[in-house]
Each structure stands twice: as structure tokens, then as C-alpha cells.
């Protein structure tokens, strides 16, 4: 097991996948982080040296990911709600925000549009 | 869930045993006005106490059971190993007797053209296998033991290499040709010639392994280049295994103070190669081995790379600044490119072979133009100019192919084709008479003797049976 920022991953896991499992860290950011530490795209966690793993943890700890990233999203939605906008209300009701029709097929909105978008809990 | 008892029956299951025998047996004779066969049948079938259980086949939904897979799933890497395995012998094939074995002399003799030769077993075959000269796409597994057709180009190439090395010059050559025309096999024959002549043979079996960002890389301190440590270890081990007998006769002559491992003067070059398997130290050690190899008095070098187009483009690696790295900024590729472009001086003679591929190759305009220019210069024709309206020419590619010789491989001649087909027939995989008509037919069908196509048309009948 390899630990990055407190989360444990299997050694066979791709570094790219492990990095992208953090909320707020996508393909662009993971590619840049991996290039910064000269890790090739198909590298697995078991093959990178231990000092690179600690460097990755240090790198991630300075980034706005996980709960910090979630909080930003929550705050944005909460602000819309607090000033009483239509978008804020639609978020709170779990309905489409951008004028889509609601006769059918609003599963994505039901899934995503909450005040607590992206979940509340940490992955740890 | 459906109940097993009749839903019309109001009796409790516990009471049914008590109720059932009385009613049915009494009522059979009295109700004989219509057919009683169903009742009689049910009486025969019903041996238990309960009369209301339905007999026969019933539709059961939602109980499909998938039996779990009993076999063990393949371990990581097992599938790839199976796909990439090299099988060099087949006990079902007939043994072909009376064929000569390839040697340093007959590889350069014009009399060998159009004959099939065996590879010296086990040493040269083992060496070729260790440096990955055999490929899984080649049909070695159809024959009893590996044999090669020596063709005009083979002798030509072997002669060019030996002549250059005798004069302590450097032969820089690119092998081109159509798809399936036998370029990689020609490379294998060149490697075999190198092993037979006791040269130091370095082979990079696939150029794309270095540039498709599938092996580790690291920036080299105080330079703009990048090393590929894991690949370097693999290459060093391959060189050690294949050239051990040659390299163990030469001792280290330089001081390698900067190396992280201790290198003494009584260490052989083979020992230097085998000194470390640590990826962190691999590149500096390989570099010092290369320096040692370029000293006067060392054995000649044969450096070959298959899949040239892949190392003539921007690689898929990214630098820490997130810019794509040009393949020639990868140190190992740079080493080959410098050797091919004539920037490296080989005092003991060398042959640098770049073998192009047509099946798996990106289209590199600069490389095509550079090779066309080199071919024209070799023939003494007018050198074709670059397209003035094309923006993406790559100077690094032109530098690395400056002044190379070009060996164009096309189809085999009819006599060579006949020798090859006779060998197939003697091995028992081609069951037909080999006469001039048959050979001519297959030769024409194969676009003028393109070997891979000949194989396809010749074995097509076999496959259809």
C-alpha cells in the first residue's frame, strides 16, 4: 500500500488514477503534477520512488482539493440561495438550474443539484 | 414467491394431510359423466399425501445461477507475456537437412545469395533472442529451427559492414522498403553477422518503446536531456548477456570518479555493465561504458535500432515545465541519433543501422525527405529540394540522417523465392510441387516477391483446408 495525503492506494494503481481520485483534481492537474516529478503516464504507484511519493503528498497538501474544493462549491451555491436567486432556489430544490425543461429526464439535476454538492464527507 | 400448494385450497397446509385422502377416492366413480383421465393420471402421479401440489414442469423466474469461473485469473503481466512470447522451434515441423549454417565467411560471400542457412545454435540464436531480434509477428514457430534466406541485400549489407569495419570507418545506413519486404529480418541478419564477427552488438528492438512514454524517465542534472533509467538497465543487461565473451577480454581504462559505484582498473567492460542494476545509477554507468567503448583498441560496434520513424518525432514525454520532449532530447535516443548522423567518432570502426518500419510507423515528412535526399545523393542524382511551403520540417531529423547510406529492400528475386519455397516444402508446411510455374505464380501474387505477401499467398491454401 502506498499512502498519498493520508489515503492508501494499492501499489498496482496507476499514479494518474490515484491523483484523480481526489476531489477537485482532474486530468489537467494530474498530468501537470506527473510531468513536474517526471512520472510517465502509465506509471504505477509501486514503481515510483518513496521520495517522489512524499513529494506528491507535499504538492497535494498545498492544493485546493478535497474538502477545500467542496467548500468553495458549497459557498457559491449557498450565496445564490442566500440572496434569493432563482438559481439558488433551483439548486435547493434539486431541479435544473439553467432553464432546461422538467417534463422528464432530470436525473442529472436530481443527482447533483444540492446545497451540499459533491458530498459532505471526506474520503478519509 | 409462488406457493407450492393450490391457491383455491383453503385448508391450511398442516390440515391438508388429514383432509386429502377421504374426499378424492370417494368421488371418482360418481363423477364419471365426463372424462376422468386427468383425475386418473393425477392419481397415478400423486403418491404423496397432498393432492393439491401441481406436478410437472413449472416456470421459475429469477433463479438463474451463474456458475462462478473456476479457473484462476491470469496474473499481472501474464497475458502480455503470452502475447509476446517467442517460439523458435516446432516439433511438428520436419527437420530440413543438408542446409549450411551461417558463418562470418558465407555471410559476405556472393555464392550464398539465394540459399537458406541455419543459424548457429545455441550461441547465436541465444544472443539474438537476448537482444530481442526475433519478433512475435514473425512466423518462427512454424519451423523446426530458425533458418534464414540469404538474399542479395543481406550479402550487400554484410559486405558493407565488414568492409567499413576493416577500414575502421563507420557505416551509417538506413534500411527502407515496402511493408513486409523483410527489413526487420535483414536487421536480424545484420545482428547475426555482428555476433559471428565478434563485434559489440547493441540492439534497440523497438524505437517506440523509448518514445511513447511507457518507461520511466528522469531529467539528467545540469543538462537539458532526459535519461530512461529502467530501459537503460534492461539494455545493459541485454548487452552483457549477448556480448559477454567479447567484453570480458577488455579492461576498464579510464577513471570514472564521478560514478556512484566504484570502478577499478582491473574490472572488465562486461563487469562494468553488470555492476549495477539500480535504475538511479544506470544512465551514468551506461555513459561511461559508451566512453570506454569508443577508446582506440576496443572491438568494433554494431548499433542497430528498429522502428526508426518513432525516434524522429516529438515524444509523448513531458518535461517538468509541461512541454513535450523531442525524442532527440532523450539521452539514449540522442546517443543513437548522434551515431547515425556521424557526430560520434568510432576509432575502431562501427556500423550504425536504422531500420524503418512500414507496418507501425508515424508519417514523418522530415524523415521521408531526408531519406529521399540521401538516396538520391547515393545514386548521384539531383537531390530533391524541401517543400518551400511546408513549415514543420525538423532540423534535428535532418541532422541525424545527414550523409547516411540507404539500402532499399524490395521483393526477392525468383531464384530466392524458389529457395524459400523449397525450404517451406521441405519443412512440411507447403504441400505442393515447387516448380517454376508455381513459384512464378506466388511471386507475382505477392507483388513481385514481397516476402510477407508470399508467405500469405503460399500458406493460404493450407489455411483453407
Amino acid at each position: 500500500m502506498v499512502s498519498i495525503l493520508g489515503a492508501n492506494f494499492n501499489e498496482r494503481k496507476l499514479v494518474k488514477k490515484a491523483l484523480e481520485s481526489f476531489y477537485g483534481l482532474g486530468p489537467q492537474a494530474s498530468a501537470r503534477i506527473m510531468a513536474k516529478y517526471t512520472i510517465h503516464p502509465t506509471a504505477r504507484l509501486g514503481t515510483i520512488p518513496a521520495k517522489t511519493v512524499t513529494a506528491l503528498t507535499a504538492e497535494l497538501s498545498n492544493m485546493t482539493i478535497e474538502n477545500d474544493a467542496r467548500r468553495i462549491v458549497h459557498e457559491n451555491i449557498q450565496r445564490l440561495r442566500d440572496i434569493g436567486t432563482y438559481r439558488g432556489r433551483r439548486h435547493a430544490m434539486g431541479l435544473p438550474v439553467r432553464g432546461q425543461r422538467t417534463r422528464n429526464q432530470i436525473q442529472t439535476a436530481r443527482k447533483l443539484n444540492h446545497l451540499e454538492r459533491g458530498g459532505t464527507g471526506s474520503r478519509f | 414467491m409462488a406457493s407450492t400448494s393450490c391457491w383455491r385450497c383453503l385448508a391450511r397446509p398442516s390440515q391438508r394431510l388429514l383432509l386429502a385422502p377421504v374426499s378424492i377416492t370417494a368421488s371418482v366413480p360418481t363423477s364419471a359423466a365426463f372424462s376422468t383421465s386427468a383425475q386418473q393420471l393425477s392419481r397415478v402421479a400423486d403418491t404423496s399425501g397432498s393432492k393439491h401440489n401441481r406436478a410437472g414442469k413449472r416456470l421459475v423466474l429469477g433463479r438463474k445461477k451463474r456458475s462462478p469461473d473456476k479457473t484462476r485469473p491470469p496474473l499481472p503481466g501474464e497475458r502480455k507475456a503470452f502475447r509476446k512470447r517467442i517460439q523458435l522451434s516446432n516439433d511438428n515441423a520436419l527437420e530440413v537437412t543438408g542446409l549450411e549454417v551461417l558463418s562470418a565467411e558465407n555471410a559476405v560471400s556472393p555464392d550464398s545469395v539465394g540459399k537458406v542457412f541455419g543459424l548457429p545454435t545455441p550461441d547465436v540464436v541465444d544472443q539474438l533472442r537476448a537482444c530481442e531480434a526475433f519478433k512475435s509477428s514473425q512466423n518462427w514457430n512454424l519451423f523446426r529451427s530458425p533458418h534464414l534466406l540469404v538474399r542479395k541485400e543481406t550479402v550487400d549489407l554484410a559486405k558493407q559492414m565488414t568492409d567499413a569495419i576493416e577500414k575502421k570507418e563507420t557505416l551509417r545506413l538506413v534500411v527502407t522498403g515496402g511493408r513486409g519486404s523483410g527489413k526487420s529480418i535483414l536487421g536480424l541478419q545484420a545482428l547475426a553477422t555482428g555476433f559471428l564477427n565478434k563485434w559489440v552488438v547493441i540492439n534497440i528492438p523497438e524505437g517506440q518503446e523509448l518514445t511513447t512514454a511507457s518507461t520511466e524517465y528522469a531529467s539528467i542534472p545540469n543538462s537539458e536531456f532526459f535519461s530512461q533509467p529502467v530501459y537503460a538497465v534492461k539494455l545493459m543487461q541485454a548487452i552483457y548477456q549477448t556480448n559477454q565473451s567479447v567484453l570480458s577480454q577488455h579492461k576498464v581504462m579510464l577513471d570514472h570518479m564521478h560514478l556512484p559505484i566504484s570502478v577499478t582498473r582491473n574490472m572488465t567492460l562486461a563487469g562494468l555493465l553488470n555492476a549495477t542494476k539500480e535504475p538511479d545509477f544506470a544512465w551514468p554507468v551506461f555513459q561511461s561504458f559508451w566512453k570506454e567503448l569508443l577508446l582506440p583498441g576496443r572491438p568494433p560496434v554494431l548499433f542497430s535500432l528498429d522502428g526508426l520513424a518513432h525516434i524522429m518525432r516529438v515524444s509523448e514525454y513531458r518535461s517538468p515545465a509541461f512541454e513535450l520532449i523531442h525524442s532527440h532530447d532523450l539521452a539514449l535516443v540522442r546517443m543513437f541519433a548522434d551515431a547515425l548522423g556521424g557526430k560520434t567518432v568510432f576509432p575502431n570502426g562501427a556500423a550504425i543501422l536504422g531500420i524503418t518500419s512500414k507496418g507501425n510507423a508515424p508519417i514523418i515528412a522530415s524523415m521521408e525527405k531526408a531519406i529521399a535526399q540521401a538516396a538520391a545523393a547515393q545514386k548521384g542524382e539531383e537531390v530533391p529540394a524541401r517543400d518551400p511551403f511546408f513549415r514543420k520540417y525538423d532540423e534535428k531529423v535532418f541532422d541525424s540522417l545527414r550523409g547516411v547510406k540507404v539500402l532499399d529492400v524490395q521483393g526477392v528475386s525468383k531464384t530466392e523465392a524458389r529457395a524459400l519455397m523449397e525450404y517451406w516444402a521441405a519443412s512440411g508446411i507447403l504441400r505442393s510441387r515447387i516448380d517454376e510455374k508455381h513459384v512464378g505464380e506466388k511471386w507475382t501474387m505477392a507483388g513481385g516477391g514481397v516476402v510477407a505477401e508470399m508467405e500469405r499467398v503460399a500458406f493460404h491454401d493450407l489455411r483453407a483446408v
Side-chain angles (χ1 to χ4, degrees), chain B residues 224-282:
Chain B
E224 71 269 35
F225 296 121
F226 292 84
S227 67
Q228 286 159 303
V230 173
Y231 193 91
V233 171
K234 191 181 136 210
L235 185 66
M236 276 158 64
Q237 285 301 311
I239 299 169
Y240 173 72
Q241 280 170 21
T242 51
N243 302 293
Q244 200 180 3
S245 61
V246 182
L247 292 175
S248 53
Q249 292 163 10
H250 294 269
K251 296 241 161 123
V252 172
M253 280 155 66
L254 297 173
D255 287 319
H256 298 287
M257 302 300 286
H258 61 283
L259 281 190
I261 53 166
S262 71
V263 177
T264 52
R265 286 296 173 93
N266 55 10
M267 202 174 197
T268 62
L269 289 188
L272 177 65
L273 275 180
N274 203 23
T276 179
K277 283 185 185 136
E278 188 63 42
D280 290 349
F281 307 155

Side-chain angles (χ1 to χ4, degrees), chain A residues 25-95:
Chain A
L25 205 164
Q28 290 289 324
S30 76
R32 279 178 188 274
I33 292 171
M34 285 169 69
K36 185 172 175 186
Y37 294 102
T38 63
I39 303 168
H40 66 278
T42 54
R44 294 184 189 271
L45 281 172
T47 61
I48 59 174
K51 70 170 191 287
T52 311
V53 175
T54 45
L56 283 179
T57 303
E59 176 83 23
L60 294 191
S61 62
N62 292 329
M63 290 175 69
T64 315
I65 52 170
E66 284 292 307
N67 284 344
D68 297 345
R70 281 196 191 94
R71 193 177 309 120
I72 291 173
V73 177
H74 295 174
E75 279 168 5
N76 290 343
I77 298 173
Q78 190 64 45
R79 181 177 54 80
L80 292 173
R81 172 92 193 282
D82 291 348
I83 58 180
T85 60
Y86 179 75
R87 283 172 62 202
R89 285 210 311 274
R90 299 295 279 184
H91 265 112
M93 289 190 286
L95 288 168

Side-chain angles (χ1 to χ4, degrees), chain B residues 1 3 22 40 45 65 74 98 101 122 137 143 157 166 172 197 222 229 270 284 295 301 331 359 378 390 398 408 419:
Chain B
M1 190 184 152
S3 165
V22 186
Q40 279 166 349
K65 261 194 185 167
V101 171
S137 57
F143 302 97
L157 177 58
E166 267 174 28
R172 300 180 286 117
N197 281 305
N222 307 323
L295 294 177
V301 179
Q378 191 177 332
F390 186 66
F398 283 98
D408 194 31

Side-chain angles (χ1 to χ4, degrees), chain B residues 400-447:
Chain B
S400 68
L401 293 170
R402 187 150 292 148
V404 292
K405 287 189 173 177
V406 178
L407 181 62
D408 194 31
V409 184
Q410 294 303 337
V412 293
S413 71
K414 278 195 183 167
T415 47
E416 290 163 352
R418 180 166 191 147
L420 194 61
M421 288 180 74
E422 277 170 356
Y423 169 68
W424 291 343
S427 294
I429 54 167
L430 187 59
R431 285 187 217 152
S432 59
R433 267 188 60 201
I434 308 297
D435 52 15
E436 202 162 324
K437 179 170 166 287
H438 190 67
V439 172
E441 185 188 304
K442 299 300 182 210
W443 185 86
T444 313
M445 288 280 284

Side-chain angles (χ1 to χ4, degrees), chain A residues 12 31-32 35 38 40-42 47, chain B residues 76 213-217 319-320 322:
Chain A
R12 293 282 306 160
R32 279 178 188 274
T38 63
H40 66 278
T42 54
T47 61
Chain B
S214 50
T215 179
E216 270 76 0
Y217 71 117
S319 66
F322 204 62

Side-chain angles (χ1 to χ4, degrees), chain B residues 123-160:
Chain B
D123 43 351
V124 173
V125 171
D126 286 350
Q127 283 169 319
L128 288 172
R129 191 198 269 274
C131 71
E132 296 179 46
F134 298 110
K135 301 200 166 170
S136 53
S137 57
Q138 297 159 349
N139 285 335
W140 300 104
N141 57 352
L142 293 179
F143 302 97
R144 177 62 76 101
S145 61
H147 284 73
L148 297 164
L149 170 74
V150 171
R151 49 200 282 192
K152 193 165 85 335
E153 289 86 357
T154 313
V155 174
D156 184 20
L157 177 58
K159 195 143 185 57
Q160 286 192 47

